[in-house]
Amino acid sequence: MNKQTKNHIATCVKLAKERFGEFAETETQEVFLIIKEAKSRGMLQKQPPDRCLNPYINAANRILETFGTETFFPTLSKDLTHIYAYVALVATNTIRITAA
């Protein structure tokens, strides 16, 4: 993970703590492993929520569906589940960030 990505994740975590309060490192690691496994199994794709999938995978798929659209930020700020999923997507290079 490059420095820009690490800084972006740190900023997301800071903003999530400010907005939602609790943001656990252990939860971050667990979600990272879930998203990493889902990515390796081809479960991350632009699709509607599926009751059979983990809530974090559904959140990640919703983020992927809205990424690059005007509904992305409202989706991202929906709840803490989406923030955890977004951090994991960035950490696994599923979503690439660019310099502003």
Side-chain angles (χ1 to χ4, degrees):
M1 194 177 336
N2 66 33
K3 184 178 179 181
Q4 178 185 2
T5 301
K6 287 180 184 178
N7 288 341
H8 182 72
I9 290 172
T11 301
C12 286
V13 169
K14 179 181 177 234
L15 293 173
K17 284 181 180 179
E18 290 172 2
R19 176 167 176 148
F20 297 105
E22 186 61 35
F23 193 91
E25 184 60 34
T26 54
E27 187 82 8
T28 304
Q29 291 302 316
E30 181 182 341
V31 175
F32 171 78
L33 294 174
I34 290 168
I35 297 300
K36 184 177 174 185
E37 183 69 22
K39 182 178 179 180
S40 72
R41 292 184 183 195
M43 299 170 86
L44 296 181
Q45 51 193 317
K46 297 175 182 178
Q47 68 180 23
D50 184 331
R51 288 188 325 197
C52 296
L53 293 177
N54 180 290
Y56 293 112
I57 296 172
N58 280 325
N61 286 338
R62 180 68 180 137
I63 290 167
L64 290 171
E65 185 178 26
T66 62
F67 190 70
T69 69
E70 66 271 354
T71 60
F72 172 69
F73 288 108
T75 298
L76 186 60
S77 60
K78 186 175 181 180
D79 59 33
L80 199 51
T81 302
H82 286 77
I83 300 292
Y84 282 121
Y86 176 73
V87 168
L89 289 169
V90 171
T92 59
N93 290 321
T94 306
I95 289 180
R96 301 207 187 251
I97 56 148
T98 56

